[in-house]
Amino acid sequence: MGFRTALSKGLLNMSEVKQELKAQVELFHKLTGHLPTHMDGHQHVHVLPEVRHVFAEVLEEYGLKYTRVPIEPGLRNCVWIPPSLMDFYRGVEEDSFNTVDVFTRHGIRWPDIYIGLSTMGKNMSVRNIRSAIDTAIAEFTSKAPSPQSRTVTIELMVHPGYPSIPPIGGCGEGPDDFSQSWERVHELQTLIKPELQSYYKTRNIQLCSFKDL
């Protein structure tokens, strides 16, 4: 949120943002021996005004083809999301809509469907994941100009893991409340449930990563 505040006050230099983005790509390459298969921003900062342009330039420069555009079908009908959090999600959604043309001009792609805001943390359940996927696929196919013969791609944003114990973890200032909470383990336990795997099989959903696209 500090990054968003600084941007709104005009305190960010986009040349420095670009320099930081390139440094992160270079460090990733140094540590792994290859470029990342995709790239996005923590808490979706890559779709913010001004940032979206330098982010797209860096991806194009390095030949990174995939990113995330967090526009989730049916999100506004999720009554279990607190109003304050929904306001944040709506802001992310608006920024994402305004980013589509920028990413398209730079040849950047993203999955057909994004899911994850409505199923995050304590809100994750097999039922909610199934509902989110079914709703998103129905909306996507209804807008398709003709029957789809190609594969439809879906990004399911998840945070499985274990609670961080300060000062380890986080993004420079230690772990945030979510990283320290039981919700990380809850996501992990939900994602490995047999009934979720059975649902994937029934819907002919194949789990994959960005390198498989």
Side-chain angles (χ1 to χ4, degrees):
M1 292 305 173
F3 186 88
R4 284 180 160 82
T5 300
L7 177 65
S8 67
K9 293 181 178 180
L11 301 177
L12 296 183
N13 184 326
M14 286 303 113
S15 65
E16 293 179 353
V17 173
K18 187 173 185 178
Q19 181 181 2
E20 173 62 27
L21 287 169
K22 294 176 69 172
Q24 292 189 22
V25 175
E26 293 289 349
L27 180 57
F28 183 98
H29 184 268
K30 179 181 179 181
L31 294 174
T32 67
H34 60 82
L35 292 171
T37 57
H38 68 290
M39 187 172 173
D40 57 55
H42 183 55
Q43 294 186 352
H44 319 292
V45 296
H46 65 297
V47 297
L48 289 173
E50 299 184 65
V51 177
R52 61 176 72 111
H53 296 281
V54 294
F55 176 82
E57 290 170 3
V58 170
L59 265 64
E60 184 176 26
E61 181 177 336
Y62 284 92
L64 307 180
K65 297 296 184 183
Y66 281 96
T67 189
R68 165 186 296 161
V69 176
I71 300 172
E72 182 170 343
L75 177 66
R76 298 183 180 226
N77 297 324
C78 300
V79 296
W80 57 86
I81 298 176
S84 59
L85 192 55
M86 181 62 81
D87 287 343
F88 172 69
Y89 288 167
R90 287 179 175 178
V92 169
E93 184 179 66
E94 181 179 356
D95 287 333
S96 298
F97 277 120
N98 293 331
T99 298
V100 168
D101 287 344
V102 176
F103 287 176
T104 300
R105 287 198 302 270
H106 287 271
I108 302 168
R109 302 173 63 187
W110 53 93
D112 299 310
I113 295 169
Y114 165 83
I115 294 170
L117 298 177
S118 67
T119 58
M120 179 177 168
K122 63 184 179 182
N123 293 323
M124 179 175 285
S125 65
V126 173
R127 178 180 180 181
N128 280 358
I129 292 175
R130 290 179 57 175
S131 177
I133 292 176
D134 290 343
T135 297
I137 291 177
E139 180 176 316
F140 180 81
T141 54
S142 70
K143 293 180 179 179
S146 59
Q148 294 289 308
S149 58
R150 67 174 180 83
T151 299
V152 176
T153 56
I154 304 173
E155 178 186 4
L156 176 61
M157 181 186 73
V158 296
H159 313 79
Y162 303 96
S164 298
I165 300 175
I168 305 300
C171 296
E173 299 180 352
D176 58 18
D177 291 342
F178 179 75
S179 294
Q180 298 177 63
S181 74
W182 58 270
E183 296 178 72
R184 300 290 304 279
V185 177
H186 172 71
E187 287 200 15
L188 174 61
Q189 294 172 339
T190 302
L191 292 167
I192 62 176
K193 286 187 175 181
E195 54 262 46
L196 184 57
Q197 310 308 311
S198 296
Y199 166 74
Y200 291 151
K201 185 175 181 180
T202 301
R203 289 287 286 177
N204 195 28
I205 294 174
Q206 177 182 344
L207 299 181
C208 66
S209 65
F210 276 90
K211 67 180 178 60
D212 300 314
L213 300 181

